[in-house]
Amino acid sequence: MATLRQPFNTHLNLGNGVLVPEGVKVVRHLSDMKDMYQDQGAVQRLLDNGDPLIYVVYNVEVPEEAGELRHCTSIVYPGRVGNEFFMTKGHFHSKVGTAEIYLTLRGRGILLMQAQDGRTATLDMFPGSVSYIPPYWAHRSINVGPEPLVFFAVYPGDAGHNYGVIEEKGFAKVVLAQDDAPVVVDNPRYVCRRT
Ligand code: PAN
Ligand code: ZN
């Protein structure tokens, strides 16, 4: 029989998303994902001016095993690279048939999803939105507002993260600012993929 582990609480600050204990913190600067943005001139200017922090993830320490539920908060900071909003890298789950739930606590976002056949979907993220990402959809969170986008996520322990496909091909859509409002448009750099 598997080892019986002790139940435990984590305190989630509902205002800013910070967990106590903090858990495993992942920090992403622009330099960690510079090829993912459209405007490489804007990327270079931002890198020359100090490499902005794009997002932070606080992960509760739970084994990455079947039967467990991994959970974490993500904080995507407000900002743009050219006219493209700050966003997460985005990924498929390694075990691609696993779902996820995002509960938004603060800010405004767009949750961009893409199936393996290239179909895309978006959901608005706002305080109180509970977004269900079904199995088989890659997902990326984009901060389209003026304050941090903060959300709490829960997903199966054995889901894993596969960044490779998105790093290589991108998403078929990008979210750009037009007169300060977000618009979802076709990604001119998208590498069409047949599965
Ligand atoms: C989230 C994401 C988190 C950061 O917890 O991992 O928002 O995004 P990237 O992992 O794409 O950098 C999640 O979807 N976990 O499965
Ligand atoms: Zn995920």
Side-chain angles (χ1 to χ4, degrees), residues 91 93 100 102 133 139 155 161:
H91 58 266
H93 289 164
E100 182 154 0
Y102 283 1
I133 304 164
H139 37 287
Y155 58 97
H161 295 92

Side-chain angles (χ1 to χ4, degrees), residues 89-130:
K89 292 174 80 164
H91 58 266
F92 283 97
H93 289 164
S94 307
K95 194 171 177 182
V96 71
T98 52
E100 182 154 0
I101 287 175
Y102 283 1
L103 164 62
T104 301
L105 304 173
R106 181 178 173 197
R108 303 276 156 189
I110 291 181
L111 173 52
L112 173 63
M113 288 156 285
Q114 181 159 320
Q116 287 169 303
D117 64 3
R119 255 180 295 177
T120 59
T122 58
L123 289 172
D124 290 332
M125 301 173 77
F126 51 87
S129 64
V130 178

Side-chain angles (χ1 to χ4, degrees), residues 12-190:
L12 166 61
N13 182 319
L14 294 173
N16 62 18
V18 173
L19 297 174
V20 179
E22 187 177 271
V24 179
K25 187 177 179 184
V26 176
V27 178
R28 298 277 184 235
H29 287 88
L30 179 58
S31 55
D32 297 314
M33 54 186 304
K34 57 181 166 38
D35 296 333
M36 291 184 158
Y37 288 93
Q38 300 292 306
D39 182 343
Q40 287 298 305
V43 167
Q44 201 50 56
R45 284 190 294 281
L46 285 168
L47 292 178
D48 291 344
N49 282 306
D51 193 9
L53 177 61
I54 308 282
Y55 62 101
V56 174
V57 184
Y58 295 96
N59 292 284
V60 176
E61 290 192 65
V62 170
E64 295 186 79
E65 291 170 11
E68 302 280 354
L69 288 173
R70 297 272 297 171
H71 47 298
C72 58
T73 45
S74 302
I75 303 170
V76 186
Y77 292 98
R80 294 179 199 168
V81 178
N83 62 350
E84 192 173 10
F85 292 102
F86 282 9
M87 61 190 183
T88 60
K89 292 174 80 164
H91 58 266
F92 283 97
H93 289 164
S94 307
K95 194 171 177 182
V96 71
T98 52
E100 182 154 0
I101 287 175
Y102 283 1
L103 164 62
T104 301
L105 304 173
R106 181 178 173 197
R108 303 276 156 189
I110 291 181
L111 173 52
L112 173 63
M113 288 156 285
Q114 181 159 320
Q116 287 169 303
D117 64 3
R119 255 180 295 177
T120 59
T122 58
L123 289 172
D124 290 332
M125 301 173 77
F126 51 87
S129 64
V130 178
S131 304
Y132 186 66
I133 304 164
Y136 303 105
W137 290 85
H139 37 287
R140 161 178 284 168
S141 312
I142 300 136
N143 184 345
V144 298
E147 60 176 335
L149 172 67
V150 180
F151 59 96
F152 181 74
V154 185
Y155 58 97
D158 59 343
H161 295 92
N162 172 4
Y163 293 98
V165 173
I166 300 299
E167 276 167 356
E168 205 186 322
K169 317 281 182 187
F171 278 82
K173 302 282 183 185
V174 292
V175 181
L176 304 178
Q178 249 177 35
D179 300 325
D180 279 343
V183 288
V184 181
V185 298
D186 287 342
N187 176 4
R189 297 165 72 221
Y190 178 60

